[in-house]
């Protein structure tokens, strides 16, 4: 990164997404706490936001990783495993409030609803109750879903209230997520070589594969943490994509990578896993609605 250039923050666009809200929060934080200027650059997919870091087109990517209702964002996990030399620098937890945006006069006229798969899933109860016959179609992001709404009044999109204001589109229903306490965790990902941001790391994320057809291989790996009294806050499996029934295991751990217990754990883990990748050690910030400044 050129020190004179503002920091380029990649996020899942077009502007107005929840990822942009998380990216804006970080941009404001950088300005007020570290006097660092930054700019926001939208990318069409989560994978492309992360690739922009690997290819040094951008300095930091803000990507959704897990939702309190719907679970993990598989595109983020798969890209992190595939791309080398990326590190998680910080986690941000944001409250998520969805609205139904449409130029239709009433819900009765809506035939199709577009949104990011996570948003469709987070509103499935509401959709089943109020739009039981609508076709639900996935888009790359909640704001990509807004494209074409004015030309097609029989369509609607699930996006944020702020996105409706940004694109001057009407809100037909608000607070439509099935659970009011809907939160999403975002990771801020940079190149391994990037300086730390001053937060003391409290969590570590990693993933590993285990030797094929070894009974108890996963138990052995998990016992490393249990025996050392280290708490795990998430475990998730993803297919290796090599052959059916082979998995990668993603773990979030409540300890910094440099803590003495983790140093012992990682040494032991190395000996019972096949490939082990450490995605970073970072701190978690929870953003409440009032502190989302733009
Ligand atoms: O599409 C967006 O706005 C995103 O940033 C992804 C997303 C979708 C739903 C909840 C949280 C993040």
């Amino acid at each position: 990164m050129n020190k004179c250039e503002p920091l380029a923050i990649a996020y899942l666009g077009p502007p107005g997404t929840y990822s942009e809200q998380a990216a804006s929060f970080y941009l404001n934080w950088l300005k007020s706490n570290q006097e660092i200027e930054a700019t926001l650059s939208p990318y069409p997919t989560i994978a492309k936001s992360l690739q922009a870091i690997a290819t040094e087109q951008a300095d930091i990517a803000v990507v959704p990783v897990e939702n309190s209702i719907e679970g993990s964002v598989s595109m983020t996990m798969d890209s992190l495993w595939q791309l080398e030399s990326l590190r998680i620098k910080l986690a941000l937890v944001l409250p998520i409030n969805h609205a139904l945006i449409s130029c239709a006069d009433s819900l009765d006229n809506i035939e199709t609803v577009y949104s990011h798969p996570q948003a469709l899933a987070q509103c499935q109860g509401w959709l089943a109750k109020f739009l039981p016959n609508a076709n639900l179609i996935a888009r790359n992001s909640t704001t990509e879903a807004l494209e074409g709404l004015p030309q097609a009044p029989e369509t609607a999109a699930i996006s944020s209230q702020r996105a409706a204001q940004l694109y001057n589109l009407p809100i037909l229903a608000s607070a439509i997520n099935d659970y009011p306490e809907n939160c999403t965790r975002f990771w801020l990902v940079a190149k391994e070589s990037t300086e730390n941001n001053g937060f003391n790391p409290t969590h570590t994320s990693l993933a590993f594969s285990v030797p094929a057809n070894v009974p108890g291989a996963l138990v052995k790996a998990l016992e490393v943490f249990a025996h050392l009294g280290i708490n795990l806050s998430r475990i998730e499996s993803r297919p290796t994509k090599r052959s059916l029934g082979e998995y990668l295991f993603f773990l979030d751990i409540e300890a910094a990578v440099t803590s003495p217990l983790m140093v012992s754990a990682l040494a032991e883990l190395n000996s019972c896993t096949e490939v082990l990748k450490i995605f970073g050690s970072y701190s978690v910030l929870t953003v409440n609605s009032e502190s989302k400044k733009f």
Side-chain angles (χ1 to χ4, degrees):
M1 189 201 14
N2 180 339
K3 284 264 179 236
C4 305
E5 299 261 319
L7 204 74
I9 307 180
Y11 70 93
L12 172 67
T17 55
Y18 295 105
S19 301
E20 193 206 28
Q21 290 187 16
S24 295
F25 175 85
Y26 187 60
L27 177 145
N28 288 331
W29 181 88
L30 279 174
K31 197 173 179 153
S32 31
N33 293 279
Q34 303 208 321
E35 291 172 18
I36 293 176
E37 293 294 328
T39 57
L40 299 179
S41 310
Y43 284 82
T45 62
I46 292 172
K48 287 197 168 127
S49 316
L50 288 170
Q51 280 157 16
I53 307 307
T55 55
E56 300 187 5
Q57 281 175 290
D59 301 298
I60 194 145
V62 178
V63 289
V65 55
E66 190 188 15
N67 178 266
S68 55
I69 316 296
E70 257 316 291
S72 292
V73 180
S74 39
M75 175 97 83
T76 299
M77 324 280 280
D78 292 351
S79 302
L80 264 185
W81 178 263
Q82 281 152 14
L83 297 167
E84 296 295 330
S85 73
L86 300 188
R87 288 290 177 277
I88 304 161
K89 298 289 173 173
L90 189 67
L92 288 179
V93 180
L94 236 74
I96 305 287
N97 257 308
H98 296 303
L100 188 81
I101 300 169
S102 173
C103 298
D105 292 332
S106 88
L107 289 180
D108 298 337
N109 302 331
I110 293 174
E111 294 167 13
T112 307
V113 181
Y114 299 102
S115 200
H116 185 276
Q118 284 259 336
L120 290 169
Q122 290 158 22
C123 303
Q124 58 190 291
W126 189 92
L127 289 166
K129 186 165 176 201
F130 294 102
L131 292 171
N133 301 318
N135 298 310
L136 308 180
I137 300 188
R139 288 285 184 252
N140 281 319
S141 73
T142 54
T143 47
E144 192 193 276
L146 299 171
E147 285 169 13
L149 286 197
Q151 294 78 36
E154 73 288 3
T155 64
I158 297 175
S159 196
S160 68
Q161 210 150 348
R162 177 176 167 266
Q165 283 159 9
L166 197 64
Y167 294 99
N168 204 13
L169 289 165
I171 294 178
L172 260 194
S174 44
I176 65 165
N177 24 289
D178 296 337
Y179 298 89
E181 299 298 307
N182 189 13
C183 285
T184 293
R185 191 153 55 98
F186 293 83
W187 276 340
L188 278 67
V189 177
K191 270 260 161 144
E192 194 174 2
S193 50
T194 311
E195 282 165 40
N196 263 345
N197 46 27
F199 289 106
N200 272 338
T202 51
H203 289 67
T204 300
S205 292
L206 54 80
F208 56 80
S209 58
V210 290
N213 301 322
V214 175
L218 175 62
V219 170
K220 233 175 162 183
L222 295 181
E223 267 176 0
V224 168
F225 297 100
H227 288 155
L228 289 165
I230 301 174
N231 205 30
L232 305 183
S233 50
R234 182 173 66 134
I235 171 160
E236 193 76 38
S237 61
R238 294 283 307 144
T240 59
K241 306 185 205 316
R242 282 189 311 219
S243 78
L244 189 68
E246 252 188 43
Y247 292 96
L248 303 173
F249 298 97
F250 288 75
L251 265 54
D252 288 352
I253 300 154
E254 290 180 359
V257 78
T258 48
S259 69
L261 280 179
M262 269 298 273
V263 172
S264 313
L266 292 176
E268 277 187 53
L269 199 62
N270 244 321
S271 65
C272 59
T273 53
E274 188 192 44
V275 178
L276 170 65
K277 294 192 184 186
I278 310 218
F279 298 138
S281 199
Y282 55 87
S283 162
V284 183
L285 288 188
T286 299
V287 179
N288 53 39
S289 318
E290 294 82 56
S291 54
K292 279 200 270 163
K293 290 200 209 96
F294 297 102

